[in-house]
Amino acid sequence: MNDTTHGIRIRPGCPADAPAILGMLDSAVVWMNDRGNTEQWGTTPHSQRPDGVTRVERYTTENAPYLAELDGVPVGALVLDSGPSPQMPIAPAGEPERYVRLLVSDRRYAGRGIGAALLAHAAEEARRAGVKLLRVDCWAGGGGELVAFYERNGFVPTDRFLSGSWPGQVLARRVG
């Protein structure tokens, strides 16, 4: 468990956290759509997608999930793995790595450093495992705001890719 100076507590996740993660994902889709962003995660809430619930459940059983909490309320989620999703056109790193498979925060708590705290926790988890490379991929559209967020958190853009027509960016951060 990890407490930050902003009162954010980060704890390991479990299957019982799947509904909270799914709720954050659904509200993120609404938040993006309300701002005109229908390309990043589409317009269908994750809970209504054919594989949405199953995917989130797998995150809590097959990967390493972490939940950020404020006063005991889940406000963000991070899912780590040992490499990129096999469904994405992203090459393995060629060295041991930790890979951010999911990062989402409850938009009602925006501006409180939840995403940054979760990324700092991911870097610490990689260090603890003796892994020197932390990578993430993200949507590279919309003027690059998401890429810039990761850059502000110590990541450097490496490879661009397309998943269908979806523009993506892989970013890396050395943590050793």
Side-chain angles (χ1 to χ4, degrees):
M1 293 195 212
N2 181 22
D3 292 329
T4 71
T5 58
H6 301 289
I8 300 167
R9 178 177 167 258
I10 299 175
R11 64 167 176 81
C14 66
D17 294 314
I21 296 168
L22 199 58
M24 285 183 249
L25 289 166
D26 283 354
S27 66
V29 169
V30 170
W31 181 83
M32 287 182 228
N33 288 184
D34 286 349
R35 281 150 188 78
N37 177 352
T38 59
E39 298 171 25
Q40 184 175 345
W41 282 355
T43 58
T44 304
H46 287 261
S47 63
Q48 295 175 18
R49 296 178 186 179
D51 69 336
V53 173
T54 304
R55 177 181 285 184
V56 171
E57 289 171 347
R58 277 196 321 266
Y59 281 154
T60 65
T61 59
E62 297 175 9
N63 302 112
Y66 296 92
L67 271 283
E69 297 179 330
L70 282 171
D71 299 322
V73 176
V75 295
L78 164 77
V79 175
L80 290 177
D81 202 350
S82 60
S85 169
Q87 287 79 36
M88 297 299 280
I90 300 168
E95 68 179 272
E97 68 177 313
R98 288 296 177 266
Y99 204 95
V100 175
R101 285 280 193 98
L102 174 70
L103 179 67
V104 64
S105 63
D106 186 324
R107 299 312 307 162
R108 294 174 296 178
Y109 297 88
R112 297 192 189 187
I114 295 163
L118 284 164
L119 289 174
H121 185 79
E124 185 54 34
E125 287 297 319
R127 275 189 212 95
R128 270 189 220 138
V131 174
K132 296 179 178 0
L133 179 63
L134 178 63
R135 289 198 307 161
V136 64
D137 63 80
C138 70
W139 185 59
E145 294 93 354
L146 192 52
V147 172
F149 165 78
Y150 285 109
E151 288 177 313
R152 288 191 305 275
N153 282 279
F155 287 82
V156 175
T158 58
D159 303 310
R160 291 188 61 95
F161 65 93
L162 281 176
S163 180
S165 62
W166 192 87
Q169 176 70 58
V170 178
L171 299 101
R173 177 178 169 188
R174 290 282 168 192
V175 296

